[in-house]
Amino acid sequence: MSPANQNHYAMRLNNFFQKRYGASAHQRHQYEVTSGGPQNHLLWEGTYLIEGIKYGVGQGSNKGDAKEAAAEDTIKLLAREGVIVP
């Protein structure tokens, strides 16, 4: 994991959803990942959806980096709505 990922955005977001929604958390938010480009230089793109609405999107050279970038973007978008993810 690169140094930029030390904030553990995906873990923070997951913990937030678990605390907020409890057992139904997995029904309220989803994470999707796709890849594209040549096989020797894939670019991964991750997207978080909350209640079916597209929120954060992030890209990376591997699945983990894409997920972290998408989680960071989601946390920033939620903050703009007044929702703070600890």
Side-chain angles (χ1 to χ4, degrees):
M1 215 173 249
S2 66
N5 292 338
Q6 295 303 312
N7 289 314
H8 305 289
Y9 296 109
M11 182 176 68
R12 288 172 49 203
L13 192 57
N14 185 59
N15 290 343
F16 168 78
F17 286 129
Q18 289 295 322
K19 187 172 185 177
R20 182 172 229 190
Y21 299 121
S24 69
H26 69 282
Q27 297 169 345
R28 306 254 184 157
H29 82 284
Q30 293 83 35
Y31 174 72
E32 300 174 348
V33 65
T34 58
S35 65
Q39 288 294 336
N40 64 341
H41 191 65
L42 284 178
L43 180 63
W44 295 89
E45 182 171 281
T47 304
Y48 273 95
L49 297 106
I50 302 172
E51 302 279 346
I53 299 169
K54 184 177 176 178
Y55 266 74
V57 177
Q59 296 180 338
S61 59
N62 60 58
K63 289 181 184 180
D65 286 347
K67 187 171 188 173
E68 282 295 306
E72 179 180 13
D73 192 38
T74 300
I75 289 171
K76 288 178 181 177
L77 290 170
L78 288 170
R80 287 188 202 140
E81 295 177 1
V83 178
I84 303 303
V85 176

